[in-house]
Amino acid sequence: MRDLLLVFTLCVFGYLAWRRGEVGRAIRDIAPPIGILMALTIWMYVVAFFISPETSWALDEIQSQWLRGLASLAAGILIAAAAKPRADLGRQVLLAVFIALLVHVVYVDAMALYQWPQDWRQGGDFTRITGFAGGSDKSNYVTNTLFCFVFADLLIRRLRGKNLMPVGNGVLWAALVLTLFSMFAERMRNGVTVFVLLLVATALFYLLGRKSRISKTASMMSAAAMLVIALGGFALAVFIKPTQNTISVRNLLDTTAIAWDTENHKAWQDEKKYGLPTLPSGETVDPSLYQRVAWFKQGLLLVAEHPLGVGFGRNAFGHGLKAKYGEGGGHSHSGMLDFTIGTGVPGTLLWLAFLASLAVPAYRRYRAAHDAVAALLLLLLLDFGARMFLDSVIRDHMLQQFMLLVGFASVIMTRGTQEKERSSA
């Protein structure tokens, strides 16, 4: 269904953009990011054909994963090109995405209100809610994307008195409350971490927009408040487990030390076969923390041993482990680490250059005009950019969703820049 909808979007909006003569202009508007992605795609094929020990697997992954991501980016560009001649059409597209994200958040909240009373009566822990997604982590990706829309709109309304989407203030604040509850219902530590980053970034954008009207004392107090919020959020994300039991600092340090000793403790390869190690206190290590630390170390070793990559793929980490140890599989829970293992250091540098080629003009546009779409694009880049270090998101529908949204936002953003240049001329 996702593939059919993607093809339908490419056909319909490709035709509309072509009729309006906007396709070539949209491509020229974001030529640097497109050029970098072309170079990255060529490099992936070079690795698959000449470097990877599993050429067939790498080619299948490029076709099934990467090319679909590029198609999603193209869809976003074409939607923006079709809507670009009229500002109201762009706002309506953003509203359509906002509504789709909000529907999911409302469903998550409704599931929590239905399920948690039953959990409480049975005396168990509250269930983590998945919504329409295949897991609470997948659901949380959608929730954090909605935060980007809400924060960008609230920011611009406060600074310029204008709105990003054609909805009232009450609807926007209600969406914020519903989204906060959704994040609580999903209870993903990494999601909380990224939420804190989005919150701090939004506050910084606000201070940047009002810097000429804020005193030095007020700025220092605001910076201190943001620091407290950030530290509190990170503490919440690190020390609170999904079961709502806390992890002590001592256990955190002990688990990290044990996990880093991958030679003597091998549960990171196969938890059932080797069993989880125990802490000096006699408790079993926290499985999630143990695995992430051990996999991170092993991932770095794979990068050092294969700096040009082993072949692009969702489970490049698992394929690297299989070739090295004869057992292991899956991903490393870090999209950035998986991507580096697969495409090597050159591929990672090109991917980061792609993100920077979108972020730099968005930041300049925001500095120049406090543009709402520029703020949205920056928050989307921060959301995905931070999450890809913490979770495996450079894959499947997560990658497609990100590419679709940044493709649309990057082209729509250029309309404001061009209008400003025409008015100046």
Side-chain angles (χ1 to χ4, degrees):
M1 179 61 71
R2 187 165 69 242
D3 290 345
L4 288 175
L5 289 173
L6 180 57
V7 171
F8 176 77
T9 300
L10 287 168
C11 293
V12 171
F13 287 96
Y15 173 72
L16 293 175
W18 173 76
R19 281 193 59 186
R20 294 172 180 174
E22 292 287 339
V23 177
R25 188 179 305 173
I27 294 174
R28 289 192 298 271
D29 287 342
I30 58 170
I34 292 177
I36 294 171
L37 282 182
M38 289 178 61
L40 176 55
T41 303
I42 292 172
W43 171 250
M44 287 181 177
Y45 278 108
V46 169
V47 174
F49 280 112
F50 302 107
I51 301 173
S52 174
E54 299 179 85
T55 298
S56 178
W57 162 74
L59 291 175
D60 286 343
E61 287 291 292
I62 292 173
Q63 178 180 344
S64 65
Q65 292 294 311
W66 184 250
L67 295 185
R68 279 177 169 82
L70 295 183
S72 299
L73 179 74
I77 293 172
L78 292 174
I79 294 170
K84 195 174 178 182
R86 291 174 51 188
D88 60 317
L89 287 179
R91 295 172 72 236
Q92 289 171 9
V93 172
L94 290 172
L95 177 62
V97 177
F98 171 79
I99 291 173
L101 297 172
L102 185 60
V103 166
H104 180 268
V105 162
V106 170
Y107 183 65
V108 169
D109 295 346
M111 284 185 66
L113 294 176
Y114 172 78
Q115 181 65 41
W116 285 355
Q118 300 180 45
D119 295 339
W120 181 76
R121 287 193 296 269
Q122 295 171 4
D125 294 319
F126 287 160
T127 304
R128 287 197 296 183
I129 306 301
T130 62
F132 292 120
S136 54
D137 55 340
K138 311 292 190 303
S139 176
N140 188 247
Y141 302 149
V142 176
T143 296
N144 277 20
T145 301
L146 184 55
F147 276 128
C148 296
F149 280 76
V150 174
F151 285 167
D153 208 339
L154 288 174
L155 176 68
I156 290 313
R157 291 183 191 216
R158 182 66 177 171
L159 287 177
R160 299 182 58 190
K162 297 183 178 181
N163 55 356
L164 175 65
M165 298 171 293
V167 297
N169 290 332
V171 173
L172 202 60
W173 283 106
L176 177 59
V177 173
L178 291 170
T179 310
L180 286 169
F181 184 74
S182 175
M183 181 180 67
F184 177 71
E186 293 148 351
R187 299 207 310 283
M188 297 302 302
R189 287 183 293 189
N190 293 339
V192 175
T193 300
V194 175
F195 164 76
V196 171
L197 291 176
L198 293 174
L199 184 63
V200 172
T202 303
L204 289 174
F205 292 159
Y206 177 72
L207 291 177
L208 184 65
R210 291 180 55 88
K211 63 180 181 180
S212 61
R213 288 169 282 176
I214 297 181
S215 67
K216 185 180 294 187
T217 302
S219 298
M220 292 178 63
M221 292 179 62
S222 299
M226 285 187 292
L227 180 61
V228 171
I229 293 174
L231 292 176
F234 280 120
L236 179 67
V238 171
F239 294 115
I240 295 184
K241 298 195 293 185
T243 56
Q244 295 184 329
N245 297 322
T246 59
I247 304 176
S248 68
V249 176
R250 182 72 265 167
N251 285 358
L252 176 70
L253 297 176
D254 289 340
T255 298
T256 302
I258 291 173
W260 197 257
D261 184 8
T262 54
E263 291 75 19
N264 295 315
H265 302 284
K266 298 191 176 185
W268 55 271
Q269 286 185 348
D270 189 328
E271 183 179 323
K272 293 182 179 179
K273 179 178 179 180
Y274 296 103
L276 288 172
T278 56
L279 300 169
S281 63
E283 299 177 71
T284 303
V285 296
D286 177 63
S288 176
L289 178 61
Y290 167 79
Q291 290 175 341
R292 285 178 180 273
V293 174
W295 289 343
F296 177 72
K297 177 188 174 181
Q298 287 296 318
L300 292 180
L301 292 176
L302 288 174
V303 172
E305 294 164 5
H306 305 279
L308 297 181
V310 301
F312 172 80
R314 288 166 291 181
N315 299 320
F317 172 73
H319 282 250
L321 290 183
K322 188 76 172 179
K324 184 176 180 178
Y325 298 106
E327 59 182 349
H331 56 78
S332 68
H333 282 280
S334 170
M336 197 70 254
L337 191 55
D338 290 329
F339 195 83
T340 305
I341 294 169
T343 64
V345 175
T348 296
L349 292 177
L350 286 170
W351 174 248
L352 294 176
F354 165 69
L355 298 180
S357 70
L358 294 173
V360 170
Y363 177 74
R364 290 174 177 169
R365 174 63 186 161
Y366 180 78
R367 284 293 303 269
H370 301 151
D371 184 79
V373 181
L376 173 63
L377 179 56
L378 286 170
L379 291 175
L380 288 171
L381 290 169
L382 176 61
D383 173 46
F384 191 85
R387 200 65 180 257
M388 71 186 185
F389 285 93
L390 303 172
D391 287 304
S392 183
V393 296
I394 313 179
R395 55 186 291 163
D396 300 320
H397 65 279
M398 294 86 74
L399 176 63
Q400 293 179 36
Q401 174 181 291
F402 170 71
M403 297 291 262
L404 176 75
L405 291 177
V406 298
F408 174 80
S410 59
V411 173
I412 286 293
M413 180 186 68
T414 62
R415 178 184 57 229
T417 304
Q418 293 164 356
E419 290 174 351
K420 182 180 178 182
E421 291 173 350
R422 285 196 294 268
S423 63
S424 299

